[in-house]
Amino acid sequence: MTDYEAVIGLEIHVQLRTNTKMFCSCALSFGEEPNTRTCPVCLGLPGSLPVANAGAVHYGLMIGLAVGSELAPRSIFHRKNYFYPDLPKGYQISQFDEPLCLGGNLGGVRIHRVHLEEDAAKLVHAGASGRIQSSRTSVVDFNRGGTPLAEIVTEPDIASAEQAGEFLRLLRTTLRTLGVSDVNMEEGSLRCDANISIRPVGATELGTKTELKNMNSFRFIERGIRAEIARQEAVVAAGGKVEQETLHFDPRSEAITSLRSKEQAHDYRYFPEPDLVPVAITQEMLDAAQAALPELPAAREARFVEDLSLSADAARQLSWRSEQGDFFESALSANPSAPARTTANWVIDLVARIDAEDPADGPVTPAALGRLVVLVEEKVVTGSGARQVLDRLITGGGDPDEIVEAEGLTAVGGDDTLAPIVAAALQANPDVVEKLRGGDMKPVGVIVGYVMKETKGRADGAEVTRLVRAQLGL
Amino acid sequence: MSTLRDLTAAQAIAEIESGALSSDEVFNAYREAAAGDTLNAYTWVADEAPTAAEGPLSGLPVALKDLFCTEGIPSQAGSRILEGYLPPYTAAVVEQLQAAGSRIVGKTNQDEFAMGSSTENSAYGLTLNPWSADHVPGGSSGGSAAAVAAGLAPWALGTDTGGSIRQPAALCGIVGLKPTYGTVSRYGMIAFASSLDQAGTFTRDVADAALLYGHMTARDPRDSTSIGHPEAIAIPTAERLDGVRLGVPEELTGDGIEPGVLAAFNASLKLAQELGAVVETCRLPHAPHALAAYYVLAPAEASSNLARFDGVRYGHRKPGDGTLLGMYTATREAGFGDEVKRRILIGTYALSSGYYDAYYGTAQKVRTKIADDFRDAFTRFDAIVSPTSPGVAFKLGEKTGDPLSMYLNDVCTVPASLAGLPGISIPNGLAAAPGGGPELPSGLQLIGPAFSENRLLEYAHALEHAIGFDGSGARA
Amino acid sequence: MLSRDQVLHVAVLARLALTDEEVDRYATELSGVLDHIETISALDLDDVKPTAHVVEVENALRPDVPHESLPLEVALAQAPLVADGGFQVPSPQAGG
Ligand SMILES: [Mg+2]
Ligand SMILES: [Zn+2]
């Protein structure tokens, strides 16, 4: 049986968070009444003309710089012609063969291009409003129409659904850090299409690709890609051929359906938009974009490793997921004596246990988590005691010092309290003592366990081991 | 008998400023004449005199080609698909004229979406040539040309894509100025071919053209391609052409020009020499290919510009079979006329997959060569002169069955359009029509380098006086 | 030469419904126009740059500052069919 590998490229549309639309001065819409953010330009009224938004170009350049693109000294807009009710002019103004940014790399995935275009309006299917007789009609709301979009196209460098998900999270973090977009998939400000093909492992030729359209959450994207890879493998295993087509993934049924229709025969008749002039990047525009760049995930990752001595894995996780990195850094700044490496591990433990994309949305505040790290560091509470404190924080929030106090989790330490318990433990386990004396330190765990039981987990394991050695003269 | 409608616009303004005439008196005289229009030059006429802004145009009326959007006033661009359409905004150039004291007296008939050379392609009926009711006024701005020639407006705005101001001006015996592309905002002009469309003037004389154009140029932030005019437009006064080098392109003065038109043209070249001009033959080697390139580029842009007429947000709608596709096709089938469909089909074809390079790409290169030809010519000449149109006005219906022969009307005007250059047509006397009948006006076209309007207007002014055309015959 | 099929294909792209008579007539008329247009294909234009714009303007960008939008009733005033504060269209999903 042949093994197959997947080859995946992504096309991501990101709504830019400018003040105004791409080609007119209407403010962007955030849930206003339908058709209250329109003007002659974004309604495509006869005689109206587009004028490109300097803010959108600025954001486009920031994205290009952030992913290491080559910024085109001169780029132009084209018209992409097709009829659809959400497209008021009968064409979308987009960029075609001379885009704003070319090439680049983000987290090891090569970027093919980044270009600017305008978003379509929203079609509301009247069936949804419950009026049966109108299920054959839709209503167009042009509020969203003309919102600036950056379209980011990757090279087919992605080999799995998981990697696609990782890349998208890094991209989202990058865009959010740049402040150019809300990057909220649920609200449609980030939309992703995936081009997927499979080929025998080791083959260099690309297989026929399908396009999986418009997936609107990270989970759906990963599931959709996984399902499409499985579908293609099944087609090939059954002796069939994958057909080039556009597909839709239904996350509820996991079903993949073809969007093929009689209008599939697209011929977009691209030609240079005569109503717009070229965008020619000036030094001033470049300087402004450069100056607006904050610390990006790759730089943060490097700083975490070099300045804070985090492990490579921890540094990557906390920098690629900016909300986790932000949580980590605020835990540190609220508790300057907390060691960074340990704090990072506690943050990673925390996010593994709570169900939130952003740990700051959970019950544990960064300051509380940092304080808990300090309490462990100062041996006020033991590691296992601290885990109990964390349990309490996760279920009900609160202040770590108060929880330690209230639950009596203060570490039992010091020779005065701990030494007699250790002595008792040794006395109760003569066989262990014999092995220890013989140089076999493995059974020390039995003694630690005894002490833990006696102290209800408030003893420090390392401290117990030290006392065992001292009392046995090892 | 001379009436106030025999005054040029500048003369009327002077009379108003001196107090000899009132602004409303002038406006209403034109408004009433326009309301009694028997040429079908107008598609809409004002009910009453609107309030005028304080300004140098003294409340004078202006007629607008229908494709200029005017808030609350029908703007139908000669098309059934826009029947009754009331825009929520006014075109930039119209606003500018209103701010200078101009008042809209009416909207004028035109070929549908400016596609045509005879104004026979209007959903709102034919417009007649004021010199002969059997003949077309030219087009596409035929309504504006006829209105000014017939004394139904002191002046008017038109648009010129391949000759739509210059050709009807020539056929109606008045002055038509197509300015340099980019000097007048296109915002609010219902588009035909965006990279070629340019607003311009119809006036009785050259001085009026300068006066009106001077109030139209501006860099408009709403039109990315607008740049305004680098200098103020002066009212021309030249009576001589001493040392002015005029180039006569072989390609625009040979075969295909009617003998009567050619004779009138040659007579005017003699006059130019008498005024001191140096007149020599020149070459525009790619001019014979201009029409072919134009009939790729303009329909291609038009096919896209007219996609917005889909029955959703404004205009005509037909449900068809009730599906979306059915609504689109039925709406556009019923809303567009023959010539518009023809051009949409050609343009769509020229842009379609597999044909783009052969048609659109090649035409864009021809455009480059034509601009180069002019650039070369202007190293030796101050202006290029030719007949405006190869013939005088033709008979109504004569060319409607043969698109190509209709397109050939633009042969002399299209090259300057492709190069974005300014061109002005001035009346060149009456010439015999090939089929007999009354003598009809012909035009002389001057083309200059980009932004040379001031010089071009001076040359035109000197020639106009030397030719001494009397246009009153159309105002009977 | 433009065939009937080509005319029909282009008509679908352009969303024009044509009668049989129109298809035939346009095929003939447009073929004549295309014959004329095709004379430019004989020119040697290999090294010539295409002209998209005659104006040599660049950027012409607009500051990212909002202006007031149209009132809803003005936006909808010219619409042939209005429903629920929007422009009503046959549903694209309901075929076609
Ligand atoms: Mg796109
Ligand atoms: Zn808008």
Side-chain angles (χ1 to χ4, degrees):
Chain A
M1 230 203 96
T2 324
D3 278 333
Y4 288 91
E5 63 182 8
V7 178
I8 303 163
L10 300 177
E11 279 179 32
I12 301 109
H13 286 91
V14 183
Q15 284 183 337
L16 299 179
R17 184 71 162 86
T18 44
N19 297 316
T20 63
K21 294 186 179 182
M22 184 67 224
F23 296 113
C24 68
S25 298
C26 287
L28 297 195
S29 173
F30 298 93
E32 281 76 15
E33 287 296 301
N35 294 302
T36 54
R37 289 284 167 89
T38 71
C39 71
V41 178
C42 59
L43 284 177
L45 297 194
S48 67
L49 296 170
V51 182
N53 180 348
V57 173
H58 175 66
Y59 281 176
L61 293 177
M62 284 173 65
I63 295 172
L65 287 172
V67 301
S69 289
E70 195 184 306
L71 306 182
R74 184 179 177 282
S75 70
I76 62 171
F77 291 98
H78 271 67
R79 289 187 185 176
K80 180 180 182 180
N81 295 282
Y82 64 97
F83 285 84
Y84 210 69
D86 63 9
L87 195 65
K89 301 184 293 298
Y91 53 85
Q92 180 197 31
I93 305 177
S94 180
Q95 294 194 293
F96 183 51
D97 54 3
E98 296 182 53
L100 190 67
C101 315
L102 272 169
N105 190 307
L106 185 68
V109 174
R110 286 173 304 153
I111 302 296
H112 177 61
R113 58 185 281 162
V114 180
H115 76 242
L116 297 174
E117 58 185 35
E118 55 180 342
D119 205 349
K122 214 164 77 189
L123 257 181
V124 184
H125 300 294
S129 76
R131 296 191 312 170
I132 296 152
Q133 83 278 12
S134 59
S135 63
R136 290 175 58 82
T137 64
S138 302
V139 167
V140 200
D141 168 13
F142 286 95
N143 282 356
R144 190 184 75 177
T147 299
L149 293 179
E151 180 175 328
I152 300 162
V153 184
T154 77
E155 298 289 354
D157 283 359
I158 296 168
S160 69
E162 295 68 30
Q163 204 193 337
E166 271 311 290
F167 171 80
L168 283 171
R169 287 191 178 86
L170 173 59
L171 178 66
R172 184 182 55 170
T173 293
T174 304
L175 297 169
R176 186 170 287 169
T177 309
L178 290 172
V180 298
S181 173
D182 294 339
V183 273
N184 185 326
M185 289 199 81
E186 279 65 37
E187 283 163 24
S189 55
L190 186 148
R191 305 193 286 273
C192 180
D193 303 339
N195 291 302
I196 303 165
S197 64
I198 58 168
R199 64 182 172 195
V201 172
T204 49
E205 214 167 290
L206 291 172
T208 304
K209 69 180 179 190
T210 57
E211 190 181 12
L212 203 52
K213 275 277 184 206
N214 249 333
M215 292 168 288
N216 62 358
S217 90
F218 286 100
R219 252 172 271 174
F220 294 167
I221 286 169
E222 291 188 36
R223 278 165 55 197
I225 291 175
R226 223 173 278 131
E228 173 55 11
I229 293 170
R231 189 193 67 86
Q232 291 191 12
E233 284 177 349
V235 168
V236 174
K241 268 179 69 182
V242 173
E243 262 183 81
Q244 182 160 0
E245 58 188 333
T246 302
L247 303 169
H248 171 77
F249 173 68
D250 179 356
R252 267 175 304 180
S253 62
E254 299 262 326
I256 286 175
T257 48
S258 177
L259 291 176
R260 203 170 11 186
S261 75
K262 60 184 158 186
E263 292 178 59
Q264 186 77 11
H266 282 312
D267 183 346
Y268 291 127
R269 289 160 284 136
Y270 279 101
F271 74 102
E273 165 58 289
D275 288 332
L276 290 168
V277 297
V279 174
I281 302 169
T282 61
Q283 192 59 44
E284 209 183 338
M285 289 158 76
L286 245 174
D287 290 346
Q290 194 84 56
L293 288 188
E295 182 189 49
L296 293 166
R300 198 180 206 188
E301 185 179 344
R303 178 167 60 81
F304 284 172
V305 171
E306 283 155 27
D307 298 357
L308 302 180
S309 305
L310 300 200
S311 70
D313 284 351
R316 171 156 290 204
Q317 177 171 338
L318 296 183
S319 56
W320 284 29
R321 307 257 184 115
S322 63
E323 57 282 352
Q324 296 181 16
D326 293 347
F327 190 94
F328 163 67
E329 296 212 63
S330 40
L332 284 186
S333 64
N335 298 279
S337 65
R341 213 181 151 101
T342 321
T343 307
N345 292 337
W346 277 94
V347 172
I348 290 166
D349 279 355
L350 172 68
V351 297
R353 294 187 52 190
I354 59 170
D355 184 30
E357 279 284 348
D358 184 349
D361 293 340
V364 188
T365 66
L369 192 76
R371 176 63 190 162
L372 185 56
V373 175
V374 171
L375 292 177
V376 175
E377 189 63 19
E378 291 175 352
K379 298 198 191 312
V380 174
V381 62
T382 66
S384 71
R387 266 184 290 281
Q388 293 179 54
V389 176
L390 184 61
D391 291 343
R392 303 303 301 254
L393 288 172
I394 288 171
T395 45
D399 173 53
D401 289 285
E402 282 169 17
I403 293 170
V404 168
E405 187 65 39
E407 301 285 319
L409 291 170
T410 316
V412 177
D415 294 359
D416 293 355
T417 10
L418 210 50
I421 304 171
V422 172
L426 292 173
Q427 199 154 22
N429 292 284
D431 48 333
V432 172
V433 172
E434 197 158 321
K435 282 184 185 156
L436 294 172
R437 286 222 157 96
D440 178 4
M441 284 305 285
K442 258 180 258 160
V444 76
V446 177
I447 305 301
V448 174
Y450 182 100
V451 175
M452 288 298 180
K453 204 171 155 207
E454 288 295 305
T455 61
K456 296 197 179 69
R458 292 178 298 145
D460 178 38
E463 190 63 12
V464 174
T465 310
R466 189 185 63 80
L467 286 168
V468 168
R469 285 177 182 277
Q471 292 187 11
L472 295 181
L474 295 173
Chain B
M1 208 204 95
S2 164
T3 74
L4 67 83
R5 288 190 288 116
D6 286 314
L7 301 172
T8 67
Q11 288 165 345
I13 289 169
E15 297 282 297
I16 293 167
E17 293 310 304
S18 74
L21 286 171
S22 86
S23 176
D24 280 355
E25 192 181 344
V26 175
F27 188 92
N28 285 321
Y30 278 109
R31 199 191 62 73
E32 281 155 28
D37 162 31
T38 55
L39 303 169
N40 196 33
Y42 283 95
T43 53
W44 178 88
V45 176
D47 287 338
E48 55 183 10
T51 317
E54 212 43 64
L57 299 180
S58 304
L60 220 61
V62 64
L64 304 174
K65 187 178 186 176
D66 200 22
L67 58 67
F68 288 94
C69 285
T70 41
E71 185 177 348
I73 295 174
S75 304
Q76 310 170 125
S79 184
R80 184 67 61 208
I81 212 161
L82 279 178
E83 190 170 5
Y85 174 63
L86 302 173
Y89 75 106
T90 295
V93 62
V94 176
E95 272 183 348
Q96 211 176 323
L97 288 177
Q98 286 174 321
S102 198
R103 291 190 273 186
I104 302 169
V105 65
K107 302 291 291 285
T108 60
N109 201 12
Q110 59 166 98
D111 282 305
E112 182 177 7
F113 292 112
M115 297 178 191
S117 306
S118 67
T119 316
E120 291 167 296
N121 302 329
S122 168
Y124 305 97
L126 308 167
T127 294
L128 309 180
N129 190 311
W131 293 86
S132 159
D134 297 336
H135 289 80
V136 303
S140 65
S141 316
S144 282
V148 173
L152 307 178
W155 51 18
L157 296 197
T159 61
D160 190 313
T161 306
S164 284
I165 288 175
R166 290 161 287 165
Q167 185 258 17
L171 270 47
C172 290
I174 57 173
V175 175
L177 171 67
K178 182 212 95 93
T180 307
Y181 183 86
T183 57
V184 179
S185 173
R186 291 184 295 115
Y187 191 79
M189 265 165 55
I190 299 174
F192 163 16
S194 312
S195 77
L196 296 156
D197 293 345
Q198 189 60 198
T201 64
F202 289 99
T203 54
R204 305 253 180 86
D205 70 7
V206 174
D208 274 0
L211 178 60
L212 188 54
Y213 175 58
H215 289 288
M216 292 166 63
T217 67
R219 154 90 184 113
D220 179 6
R222 291 170 294 181
D223 174 1
S224 308
T225 63
S226 102
I227 34 197
H229 203 281
E231 61 204 14
I233 301 301
I235 304 302
T237 55
E239 301 291 345
R240 298 279 308 167
L241 291 171
D242 292 308
V244 173
R245 301 160 302 167
L246 298 179
V248 182
E250 286 176 14
E251 293 82 1
L252 304 183
T253 50
D255 290 348
I257 311 289
E258 287 173 11
V261 171
L262 200 56
F265 174 69
N266 287 330
S268 293
L269 292 181
K270 276 229 169 57
L271 284 178
Q273 282 170 317
E274 283 163 23
L275 296 178
V278 181
V279 179
E280 281 173 33
T281 303
C282 74
R283 297 286 321 270
L284 295 173
H286 294 85
H289 302 288
L291 206 62
Y294 176 82
Y295 275 95
V296 174
L297 297 172
E301 292 184 15
S303 71
S304 174
N305 283 335
L306 268 52
R308 69 188 59 200
F309 300 101
D310 60 3
V312 176
R313 284 142 296 127
Y314 42 78
H316 217 62
R317 164 145 153 180
K318 285 259 192 252
D321 64 6
T323 65
L324 179 64
L325 183 64
M327 186 278 279
Y328 280 153
T329 56
T331 295
R332 292 164 62 80
E333 164 69 5
F336 292 141
D338 238 16
E339 181 59 20
V340 169
K341 286 181 203 163
R342 237 179 246 131
R343 298 212 197 176
I344 289 176
L345 291 171
I346 296 181
T348 304
Y349 178 70
L351 290 173
S352 66
S353 170
Y355 297 98
Y356 180 91
D357 288 338
Y359 290 108
Y360 198 80
T362 304
Q364 282 190 316
K365 290 178 173 185
V366 173
R367 193 170 186 181
T368 306
K369 295 302 278 184
I370 286 166
D372 289 348
D373 286 354
F374 275 113
R375 201 166 297 122
D376 289 347
F378 288 130
T379 61
R380 291 176 51 216
F381 297 100
D382 298 306
I384 305 291
V385 289
S386 78
T388 307
S389 170
V392 295
F394 42 93
K395 285 226 164 92
L396 293 165
E398 186 182 325
K399 298 189 178 181
T400 42
D402 181 359
L404 197 57
S405 83
M406 186 72 90
Y407 298 171
L408 286 169
N409 267 287
D410 298 335
V411 71
C412 298
T413 47
V414 154
S417 297
L418 288 174
L421 302 177
I424 187 168
S425 176
I426 59 170
N428 198 24
L430 300 178
E439 287 200 317
L440 293 168
S442 75
L444 179 141
Q445 172 181 236
L446 295 108
I447 301 165
F451 308 110
S452 69
E453 276 86 341
N454 273 327
R455 278 196 285 139
L456 214 54
L457 287 160
E458 293 289 356
Y459 307 156
H461 183 264
L463 271 172
E464 171 188 51
H465 282 213
I467 293 168
F469 178 72
D470 174 11
S472 62
R475 293 198 293 278
Chain C
M1 246 334 264
L2 211 56
S3 68
R4 274 186 61 95
D5 280 353
Q6 281 173 307
V7 171
L8 282 170
H9 170 69
V10 172
V12 170
L13 283 178
R15 298 294 185 271
L16 288 172
L18 302 181
T19 62
D20 276 356
E21 178 275 324
E22 282 177 313
V23 175
D24 288 330
R25 185 159 52 80
Y26 287 137
T28 312
E29 287 172 357
L30 298 183
S31 293
V33 174
L34 286 175
D35 284 347
H36 177 73
I37 286 172
E38 273 159 15
T39 56
I40 57 176
S41 59
L43 297 172
D44 177 15
L45 299 164
D46 284 351
D47 300 325
V48 180
K49 273 180 44 183
T51 296
H53 274 110
V54 287
V55 287
E56 283 160 24
V57 186
E58 283 170 339
N59 292 332
L61 303 172
R62 169 178 62 74
D64 185 21
V65 178
H67 285 196
E68 208 157 323
S69 294
L70 292 173
L72 177 63
E73 60 280 10
V74 175
L76 297 177
Q78 300 292 312
L81 266 178
V82 167
D84 301 335
F87 301 85
Q88 190 185 300
V89 292
S91 175
Q93 270 120 27

